[in-house]
Amino acid sequence: MPPLPISENKLEQFIDELSHLPSYSIGRTADNQLVISDSKISGHHARLIYCTPSNFILEDLQSKNGSYVNGLRVTRKVVGEQDLIRLAETEMTCQQLVALLPDKAARPLAKAQPQPVVAPEAPPSPAKSTVAVQPLDFTSSFAALKLVYEQYPRLRRDCRNREKMIRTGSVILSSVVGITAVLSTGGGALPFIQIMSGAGLSVLIPTLSSTLLSTDEKLEIIDREYRDVYRCPNPACRDPFGTRDWDLLAAQKTCRRCQAIWVS
């Protein structure tokens, strides 16, 4: 039996609900979601907006002793996991700060890392003392990057208009297998995000539809996520593809750096 059709309005409404990004207040007083016991930290010092599993917005709340990213004082800045954050005299990486946040189950789904498919090793040859190791096969992971390459310019263009971004999301997701079942059964955000995470950069659509981010911040997050994903899918290599056309990379067939197989 085919799945029941889901109206475009319902898809748009669901994306709109997801675009209300988690935001966490940080400070010395007990009414913050993250309390830091440091006398030099203001009562309400800063807030962290959770945009994607690896990108956040740090906003200083007019604190007395300031918020710093990699040694520079900021009022509001896009930060990544490895950025060094200092609130007054308390210093930690963004990743360490995120690990202290409450309501972990409510956060966006962590990005799935590409898993290598290893060809079976050749049996030992009695004539040789070494074993020939077959190259890694990343054909499936590489094929999925074509969608990332195609979506990138469209998301950059559409993120300037919130309503258009929501419509873009509904068009993309209405054709994704499984989305009807999630919505018709009242499924929550987690299965919805699981579906989006398998569709290139579609997982960014709720963030790009949010009213909490400026257009420049959205563009920076798109660029960061694109650079992080559009790379050689071999975790041991991760050579960035930059602006290289996916079709030209496919014609190359293998990674010249690690010899991973992209196209068989």
Side-chain angles (χ1 to χ4, degrees), residues 185-215:
T185 58
L190 185 59
F192 182 80
I193 292 174
Q194 285 175 328
I195 288 170
M196 288 197 297
S197 66
L201 296 174
S202 299
V203 71
L204 291 177
I205 288 171
T207 295
L208 302 180
S209 302
S210 175
T211 58
L212 294 178
L213 278 67
S214 69
T215 297

Side-chain angles (χ1 to χ4, degrees), residues 8 15 26 29 40 43 53 130 146 151 175 193 200 211 230 234 239 258:
E8 188 172 284
I15 295 170
I26 305 169
T29 56
K40 294 192 175 181
T130 59
K146 183 175 184 180
Q151 286 180 344
S175 62
I193 292 174
T211 58
Y230 195 57
N234 181 359
D239 187 36
C258 70

